[in-house]
């Protein structure tokens, strides 16, 4: 990273959006995209049909909320389960099913975990998260989630699934800036596939080196005996 670079709320939000898109795309095998425009909001809320939220604390505090429509929740759930090899006839058909909430909660946990890892590597600070909470909501409920922030800032970003179903990411956090004082290198995470391939290669090389050497004298003896 270049020296004296300043990281703002929007930069942190972008890292979060990238984590959401990357993790959900990988988990579902579909293309999950987000809008290039961000909306300033005054507060974060859980809205119908399905809301997930998780709090984080540490180097800075905040709250992540994702509000899904029923169609978006079911699409992400179904795509994830199919990607895991679960037959179509075993999938839940209602977004209110416990299975849908469990899957979305696990995905929420993964994407926030990816985000906290980015923060640790790229901002040189540490944040921890609590267990994600999920709530199925009807049309008449609008639950506001308050966080203990001194100078709160809130943002909303629109996401789209491969089938053009919409869900919304909301981030509330303290107003803060990270200013880089010295240069440092960001170490890339090693791909799990690359780790497995390297392990297989080492095992293959080890087996080759341990294989018994071929003895030509045995061949000569067999030839002399006509075998």
């Amino acid at each position: 990273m270049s020296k004296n670079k300043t990281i703002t709320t929007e930069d942190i939000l972008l890292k979060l959006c990238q984590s959401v898109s990357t993790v959900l795309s990988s988990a579902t095998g579909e293309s999950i995209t987000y809008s290039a425009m961000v909306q300033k909001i005054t507060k974060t809320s859980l809205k119908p049909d399905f809301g997930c939220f998780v709090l984080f604390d540490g180097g800075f505090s905040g709250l992540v909320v994702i509000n899904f429509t029923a169609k978006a929740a079911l699409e992400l759930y179904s795509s994830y389960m199919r990607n895991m090899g679960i037959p179509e006839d075993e999938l839940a058909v209602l977004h209110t099913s416990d299975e849908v909430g469990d899957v979305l909660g696990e995905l929420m946990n993964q994407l926030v975990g990816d985000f906290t890892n980015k923060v640790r590597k790229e901002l040189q600070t540490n944040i921890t998260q609590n267990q994600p909470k999920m709530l199925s909501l009807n049309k008449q409920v609008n639950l506001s989630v308050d966080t203990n922030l001194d100078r709160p800032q809130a943002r909303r970003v629109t996401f789209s699934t491969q089938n053009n179903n919409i869900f919304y990411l909301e981030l509330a956090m303290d107003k803060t800036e990270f200013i880089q004082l010295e240069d440092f290198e960001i170490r890339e995470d090693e791909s799990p596939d690359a780790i497995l391939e390297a392990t297989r290669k080492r095992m293959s090389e080890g087996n080759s080196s341990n294989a018994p050497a071929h003895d030509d004298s045995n061949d000569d003896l067999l030839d002399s005996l006509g075998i």
Side-chain angles (χ1 to χ4, degrees), residues 43-46 142-146:
K43 64 179 181 179
T44 56
S45 299
L46 292 175
N142 185 30
L143 177 63
S144 177
V145 182
D146 295 324

Side-chain angles (χ1 to χ4, degrees), residues 150-161:
D150 295 327
R151 295 185 299 164
Q153 290 186 309
R155 304 286 188 268
R156 179 188 292 133
V157 179
T158 303
F159 280 74
S160 300
T161 67

Side-chain angles (χ1 to χ4, degrees), residues 53-71:
F53 69 94
V54 61
L55 296 163
F56 58 85
D57 200 6
F60 56 91
S61 300
L63 166 72
V64 177
V65 175
I66 302 183
N67 291 311
F68 298 95
T69 62
K71 289 184 177 180

Side-chain angles (χ1 to χ4, degrees), residues 52-208:
C52 300
F53 69 94
V54 61
L55 296 163
F56 58 85
D57 200 6
F60 56 91
S61 300
L63 166 72
V64 177
V65 175
I66 302 183
N67 291 311
F68 298 95
T69 62
K71 289 184 177 180
L74 275 174
E75 181 186 345
L76 292 174
Y77 157 79
S78 300
S79 298
Y80 172 78
M81 297 296 279
R82 284 194 295 265
N83 206 29
M84 295 291 288
I86 306 300
E88 189 76 30
D89 57 1
E90 295 183 13
L91 302 183
V93 295
L94 297 175
H95 75 279
T96 52
S97 300
D98 291 340
E99 293 179 27
V100 177
D102 292 342
V103 166
L104 293 181
E106 173 58 27
L107 292 175
M108 185 86 169
N109 195 47
Q110 291 181 26
L111 65 89
V112 177
D114 186 82
F115 170 65
T116 58
N117 187 46
K118 278 188 172 69
V119 168
R120 177 179 56 81
K121 292 192 306 178
E122 300 177 20
L123 301 183
Q124 301 283 289
T125 190
N126 186 65
I127 58 175
T128 57
Q129 68 188 75
N130 71 346
Q131 189 66 25
K133 305 295 188 299
M134 290 72 62
L135 186 63
S136 178
L137 304 166
N138 60 39
K139 295 294 184 181
Q140 285 73 43
V141 176
N142 185 30
L143 177 63
S144 177
V145 182
D146 295 324
T147 53
N148 188 21
L149 304 176
D150 295 327
R151 295 185 299 164
Q153 290 186 309
R155 304 286 188 268
R156 179 188 292 133
V157 179
T158 303
F159 280 74
S160 300
T161 67
Q162 188 162 292
N163 292 335
N164 294 320
N165 290 313
I166 303 299
F167 62 95
Y168 299 94
L169 167 73
E170 297 183 3
L171 170 67
M173 60 174 288
D174 270 326
K175 183 177 181 180
T176 186
E177 290 184 349
F178 287 85
I179 303 171
Q180 184 176 342
L181 300 179
E182 295 184 352
D183 291 335
F184 63 91
E185 292 185 3
I186 300 175
R187 189 169 67 180
E188 295 293 331
D189 288 334
E190 192 167 3
S191 165
D193 293 336
I195 295 174
L196 290 174
E197 182 60 33
T199 302
R200 282 195 292 265
K201 186 175 181 181
R202 285 197 300 271
M203 293 177 64
S204 177
E205 292 174 348
N207 291 336
S208 299

Side-chain angles (χ1 to χ4, degrees), residues 29-46:
E30 296 188 348
S31 175
I32 308 298
T33 59
Y34 55 90
S35 170
M37 300 295 292
V38 57
Q39 180 182 2
K40 286 187 176 182
I41 55 179
T42 58
K43 64 179 181 179
T44 56
S45 299
L46 292 175

